[in-house]
Amino acid sequence: MEGWDPTTKSTLTQIPLLTIKAGPRDGATWTQRLKEEYKALITYTTMNKKNDNDWFRISAANPEGTRWTGKCWYVHNLLKYEFDLQFDIPVTYPATAPELELPQLDGKTEKMYRGGKICLTVHFKPLWAKNCPRFGIAHALCLGLAPWLAAEIPVLVDSGMVKHKDDAASSVEV
Amino acid sequence: MASVEAEMTDNSKASNPYSRLMALQRMGIVHNYEKIREYSVAIVGIGGVGSVAAEMLTRCGIGRLLLYDYDKVELANMNRMFFLPNQVGMTKTDAAVQTLSNINPDVVLESFTLNITTVDGFETFMSSLKNKSFNPNSEGTGVDLVLSCVDNYEARMVVNQACNELNQVWMESGVSENAVSGHIQLLIPGETACFACVPPLVVASGIDERTLKRDGVCAASLPTTMGIVAGLLVQNTLKYLLNFGDVSRYLGYNALKDFFPTMEMKPNTQCSNAACMERQKEYILAKPSRDAAAKAKMDADSLVAEEFPIHSENEWNISVVDDDEPDKVSTITSGSLPVGIMHELPSADKFESDPAPAETSNPIDDLEDLRKQLDALNAD
């Protein structure tokens, strides 16, 4: 955890760690794991709201809890930029992390793989591997997506690749 | 190779597509080259390595190829071999079938446009490997070898999972992100290390680690490195299928130093993959019959050689011990670790068992409750 800012570190320590090592093909133990995932997400979301740092919405898109969809946003220069967020739970979960996708940004940045999968290779994957099975979806958002947004969105906005929705609308009206 | 279902003959007419391959037989390299027509190979990932490997196997006259990829051909792929600019926008599997069927119509091609890391994709992947329609008499699965030519850790772990569960021999290949090194590896479930046995580690590559990742660049690639790795992979495949030469367990390629390291890796007795542990148990149980077969072969080979002690004296009581004996492996744990580094695995030989779920309430109702709680948080 060298090089992480103190806020992220203290937030991370408050997200409950998971204990059950189970993937979507493991039946009843996966249900147990899913409950832990929910508990961690509930704690993390509540904490964000309390600290006035609410920045994502995520919910399971199927009853098995293998596909998740939602939104995430980032505030840059007092403007809010919002993006769709989606990912699948891989069959080898939790040995491998979910690949977080921001489909609207596909092709706009090189820090991304095909289909809008954000590049987590350096800053997040080693952490995930070391902390298997204790990290879950909430940790992936906190340590994977949040720093990615903080690093990439300002660059994308300043270079004009991403426009604020008000700007985009007004430019159409003109 | 225009003829459909060409007979494999060794006449050296210019019109015989297999004449140069069948010559391998006359030169005594391969005993029965024609057997290649009976083999099925699955290639996962039709990118820089997979597509070239598929073309090589197609030109060799392989019986059947199963191709898996979910991606589309892009202009950014044109620095590598195989795909053509006019195929941009096609799925890689469709484009590959188009080209490969033109090169050699004798090969049975099956393409699967799917992502094997998703739950649905994995099910299709598993059932396609189990399908024995091509060779109903084959033992085990419906394919003879799986080649992993994917570019990420997640997909490799999925191929590993499937092959461990199916007891399927496979080969892994990889090219580094900086495009100047690569490797191939043979994985026999239970006998060699599986992909989850040894966590990936950064091996000294002769260049500064900090230069590996430059801002804004996620991967580099060269047609040369990709072609070399594909060549090594298919060479090992041919040796494995047609039973000639030594099949490499691991072969590395370092382009900067032209260094080709080889090694062997034994399975981890504490592997976190349950299917790997099962295969390891089976392998140990099959040891007596394996030993008997090896001994019979040795006896047959050394029928003429008279047995006598190599040394008449043995002052220090030195004896040769079989290093395959699993219970003789000593567990050495280093006592002093640098500050901040902890042992991840338990020191005991037994893997830490999962904590038993201690909850008594109905797990489904509980889950519904949690989902509603999160939905409520999401609502405002």
Side-chain angles (χ1 to χ4, degrees):
Chain A
M1 291 298 294
E2 289 290 309
W4 288 82
D5 65 289
T7 327
T8 309
K9 269 192 193 173
S10 79
T11 308
L12 181 73
T13 52
Q14 292 171 59
I15 305 174
L17 293 172
L18 288 71
T19 58
I20 311 240
K21 188 173 182 254
R25 292 167 70 239
D26 294 332
T29 44
W30 168 242
T31 310
Q32 298 284 337
R33 167 91 190 182
L34 208 50
K35 280 160 63 180
E36 294 190 326
E37 296 280 3
Y38 271 109
K39 283 176 194 161
L41 277 171
I42 290 165
T43 311
Y44 186 37
T45 312
T46 314
M47 190 167 40
N48 285 340
K49 289 189 173 194
K50 203 176 75 193
N51 298 338
D52 197 20
N53 183 31
D54 199 17
W55 67 276
F56 69 86
R57 291 283 174 270
I58 195 78
S59 52
N62 59 3
E64 301 81 27
T66 57
R67 179 156 184 84
W68 293 70
T69 54
K71 295 207 174 291
C72 62
W73 55 91
Y74 186 79
V75 176
H76 177 61
N77 290 340
L78 303 175
L79 291 172
K80 180 180 167 183
Y81 298 87
E82 192 175 82
F83 310 101
D84 290 340
L85 167 65
Q86 63 186 43
F87 55 89
D88 287 292
I89 300 291
V91 282
T92 43
Y93 191 83
T96 57
E99 296 189 87
L100 309 174
E101 296 166 29
L102 303 176
Q104 290 154 325
L105 295 182
D106 190 14
K108 295 193 172 184
T109 161
E110 284 161 309
K111 301 274 191 74
M112 200 167 240
Y113 297 108
R114 210 62 54 231
K117 291 173 180 163
I118 67 168
C119 178
L120 298 165
T121 316
V122 172
H123 75 278
F124 178 62
K125 294 281 173 70
L127 272 178
W128 179 277
K130 272 182 224 157
N131 289 285
C132 172
R134 296 183 284 275
F135 277 8
I137 295 168
H139 302 85
L141 296 176
C142 175
L143 294 172
L145 182 57
W148 191 92
L149 289 174
E152 290 306 302
I153 301 307
V155 177
L156 285 168
V157 170
D158 294 347
S159 66
M161 284 304 274
V162 167
K163 287 216 166 18
H164 190 262
K165 60 182 191 303
D166 295 347
D167 288 350
S170 63
S171 63
V172 172
E173 282 162 27
V174 169
Chain B
M1 298 194 184
S3 62
V4 177
E5 281 300 318
E7 281 293 305
M8 279 199 172
T9 58
D10 62 355
N11 73 50
S12 51
K13 278 191 289 189
S15 62
N16 176 3
Y18 298 114
S19 63
R20 303 297 199 276
L21 293 164
M22 293 302 284
L24 286 168
Q25 231 168 268
R26 273 190 294 175
M27 291 184 169
I29 301 292
V30 180
H31 286 302
N32 189 1
Y33 189 85
E34 261 174 283
K35 221 154 144 67
I36 200 164
R37 303 286 308 129
E38 293 167 24
Y39 291 126
S40 289
V41 173
I43 304 182
V44 187
I46 313 300
V49 174
S51 61
V52 178
E55 178 172 341
M56 287 175 173
L57 287 170
T58 299
R59 290 185 188 272
C60 285
I62 192 84
R64 170 171 165 254
L65 281 181
L66 293 85
L67 310 169
Y68 303 83
D69 206 300
Y70 68 94
D71 223 348
K72 289 200 165 106
V73 181
E74 293 180 4
L75 272 180
N77 302 140
M78 295 307 141
N79 72 320
R80 281 151 265 172
M81 296 198 283
F82 190 72
F83 291 118
L84 304 170
N86 64 24
Q87 292 174 322
V88 166
M90 289 175 80
T91 62
K92 287 186 176 173
T93 45
D94 286 348
V97 167
Q98 185 184 60
T99 305
L100 296 176
S101 56
N102 272 329
I103 292 172
N104 187 350
D106 293 352
V107 179
V108 177
L109 298 165
E110 291 178 24
S111 78
F112 299 87
T113 310
L114 49 84
N115 182 351
I116 59 161
T117 68
T118 63
V119 177
D120 293 344
F122 186 74
E123 290 309 320
T124 314
F125 179 47
M126 289 281 276
S127 57
S128 65
L129 291 181
K130 283 187 269 191
N131 182 353
K132 289 196 195 187
S133 56
F134 180 74
N135 191 355
N137 302 324
S138 71
E139 287 174 31
T141 66
V143 298
D144 297 283
L145 189 67
V146 175
L147 300 180
S148 162
C149 304
V150 297
D151 62 358
N152 63 84
Y153 175 71
E154 288 74 20
R156 288 188 174 92
M157 286 291 275
V158 170
V159 176
N160 186 60
Q161 182 69 34
C163 291
N164 276 346
E165 287 182 22
L166 298 172
N167 200 7
Q168 172 64 53
V169 176
W170 64 291
M171 283 184 204
E172 134 76 6
S173 68
V175 175
S176 66
E177 284 177 332
N178 61 8
V180 287
S181 63
H183 73 275
I184 61 159
Q185 184 181 347
L186 172 72
L187 296 102
I188 308 169
E191 185 177 339
T192 69
C194 90
F195 197 72
C197 277
V198 200
L201 75 168
V202 178
V203 182
S205 46
I207 56 169
D208 190 335
E209 211 178 309
R210 279 164 298 181
T211 63
L212 261 169
K213 279 272 164 180
R214 274 179 241 275
D215 279 358
V217 181
C218 264
S221 62
L222 276 171
T224 46
T225 315
M226 296 249 174
I228 288 164
V229 170
L232 295 175
L233 181 67
V234 175
Q235 195 81 293
N236 219 34
T237 300
L238 293 175
K239 289 196 286 184
Y240 173 78
L241 293 177
L242 299 174
N243 200 14
F244 66 97
D246 293 330
V247 182
S248 283
R249 294 290 174 99
Y250 177 98
L251 175 58
Y253 168 54
N254 178 331
L256 298 183
K257 303 211 158 145
D258 277 343
F259 175 49
F260 292 81
T262 57
M263 61 175 169
E264 240 177 89
M265 279 183 284
K266 289 201 173 151
N268 179 356
T269 53
Q270 301 179 348
C271 182
S272 60
N273 186 298
C276 172
M277 294 299 283
E278 264 175 58
R279 296 292 91 80
Q280 287 189 42
K281 244 181 260 166
E282 289 167 11
Y283 184 73
I284 291 167
L285 286 178
K287 191 176 187 300
S289 61
R290 223 175 19 251
D291 284 351
K295 193 172 180 295
K297 192 172 179 293
M298 274 235 305
D299 287 351
D301 288 350
S302 62
L303 210 58
V304 273
E306 187 81 18
E307 284 248 350
F308 60 90
I310 301 166
H311 306 283
S312 50
E313 292 172 18
N314 189 0
E315 192 184 345
W316 308 102
N317 284 323
I318 294 167
S319 62
V320 180
V321 178
D322 189 351
D323 58 3
D324 281 342
E325 214 69 66
D327 50 355
K328 295 215 172 113
V329 177
S330 64
T331 48
I332 304 155
T333 45
S334 56
S336 57
L337 284 171
V339 182
I341 310 250
M342 285 186 297
H343 282 293
E344 167 68 20
L345 291 167
S347 50
D349 243 4
K350 198 171 159 289
F351 193 69
E352 195 181 339
S353 57
D354 291 331
E359 282 171 73
T360 45
S361 60
N362 187 337
I364 305 295
D365 287 348
D366 228 334
L367 187 66
E368 214 36 65
D369 222 44
L370 290 163
R371 190 172 293 153
K372 279 184 193 137
Q373 275 186 51
L374 185 64
D375 285 347
L377 280 170
N378 282 341
D380 54 54

